[in-house]
Every structure is written in structure tokens, then in C-alpha cells.
Amino acid sequence: MSAIDSVQNPVYVYERPVRLWHWVNALALVVLAVTGYLIASPLVAPDGEASEHYLMGYVRFVHFAAGYVLAVGFIGRVYWALVGNQYARELFLPAIHRAEWWDGLWHEIKWYLFLVPEPRKHAGHNPLANMAMFLFYVFGALFMIVTGFALYGEGLGQGSWTSRWFGWVIPLFGQSQDVHTWHHVGMWYLVVFTLIHVYVVIREQRLSRQSMTSTMIDGWRSFRDDRP
């Protein structure tokens, strides 16, 4: 039997740097969403002198720090896609050049539409998940990083590294408020994507033919049957 056909042959899929990135990235996204919401809808200022509280200043600081974590983590994830195993590259390089990848994508779509009795086995991401992560997460995260640092650079002022690298973004969108608006829309986009992602993971954990959540903890993909 091949490695993905047997209950007795788990496959080591997600290396430690990938698993670490996944959980740190998830925490950063939660922090960014909560603090981003508070920045857009500020809390009522407490009583007393504002200099004694600095509440929204702390919120913005945490937001900026989480933004750095997201950006540095993304760069690190790109690096590991170059030096890691074949599964580390799936996030950025869907195998769209392979006919069997498209066949698997169509099968997964039919599985979610209840048109086939069971899904297929996949050591890494199934093609539908692969496409969704590439189109919705990779490009969504890039959009949020670029627009976020553009707004951050505006605050730091002309001459800052963020202004030099991302200053072109604001004129591209028209004005600062337009970037704020689209950055806020992007936040809700990633929130919705994350909720769908969690739902799909739970669904696949219960209904698919391989492990899901435990694989992102210990790295090993195990299978529930010996059929191909």
C-alpha cells in the first residue's frame, strides 16, 4: 500500500515551523480583529484626566505590534515554503498544472454539495482547501499588511521606512480615508474567512477520512481506513 492508503502509515505533513506559524498567525489575527474593531469604534473615555488612562493608545500599540507579528510571520512562511517539505509549498503553489489536482478539486466540490458519498484521502491540503487558502488567505493577508503599513506610515510621517515603502498605497486608493475604509472591510473579510475555516476544519475532522486538528498540533496526518 502507498503511504496515504493505510491506517498504519501516517504521513508527516506539517513541519514544526509551519505549525508554529499557524498558531501564532491565528492569535495575531484575533488580536488584530479585536483591536481593529475598537480603533474603528473607540471605547468611551473613562473619567478623569486623559493622560492618566491612554486607553486607545494602548489599543493602537497592541494593534501595531500584532501587525508586525503578522507581517514578519508571513515573510517567514514564504521562506519556509522555499526550504521546507512539499506540503509547506502548497499554500503558495497550488498544483493547477496537474490534471489530477483539478479532478480532486471537482470531487471536493461535489463532496460539499452532497453529490458523492465520501471525500478522497489527501496527505496535505485537499485541492479545494488549497485553492481557498491561496486565493482568500494569502491575498487577503497581503492586502491587510500593505494597507495597514501604509496607514502606519502616515502616522509615523514622511521619511519613515513605512512611508517610503508603502506611501504609494494611499494615492492609489485616492485618500487616507479610503484606505481606512478598505482596511476595515478587509478585517471583516478575514473574520468571515476565519469562521468558515474553523467550520470546515471541524466538519472535516468529523466527516473526512483523515485527521485534521491533531495534524496541526503534532504534524502527522493519520487515516481512518485502508481503502484507497
Side-chain angles (χ1 to χ4, degrees), residues 94 96 101-102 105 126-137:
I96 59 175
W101 187 90
W102 289 102
L105 176 67
N126 69 63
L128 182 59
N130 189 192
M131 180 65 80
M133 291 295 293
F134 177 71
L135 291 179
F136 300 123
Y137 173 75

Side-chain angles (χ1 to χ4, degrees), residues 151 176-186:
L151 295 171
S176 176
Q177 185 56 48
D178 295 324
V179 182
H180 275 280
T181 300
W182 282 107
H183 190 70
H184 190 69
V185 170

Side-chain angles (χ1 to χ4, degrees), residues 56-79:
M56 291 308 301
Y58 290 126
V59 171
R60 288 172 61 84
F61 172 79
V62 172
H63 188 78
F64 297 153
Y68 271 103
V69 171
L70 182 73
V72 172
F74 191 90
I75 294 171
R77 184 64 180 83
V78 171
Y79 167 76

Side-chain angles (χ1 to χ4, degrees), residues 45-55 58:
D47 294 335
E49 174 55 47
S51 62
E52 297 177 1
H53 303 292
Y54 196 61
L55 178 60
Y58 290 126

Side-chain angles (χ1 to χ4, degrees), residues 155-204:
L156 291 181
Q158 295 289 332
S160 63
W161 72 268
T162 47
S163 178
R164 292 195 303 271
W165 287 18
F166 300 97
W168 54 271
V169 175
I170 293 177
L172 180 67
F173 279 81
Q175 59 179 335
S176 176
Q177 185 56 48
D178 295 324
V179 182
H180 275 280
T181 300
W182 282 107
H183 190 70
H184 190 69
V185 170
M187 178 197 77
W188 286 111
Y189 165 89
L190 285 181
V191 167
V192 172
F193 169 80
T194 301
L195 292 175
I196 294 174
H197 175 68
V198 171
Y199 161 74
V200 168
V201 168
I202 295 173
R203 183 182 189 273
E204 291 295 293

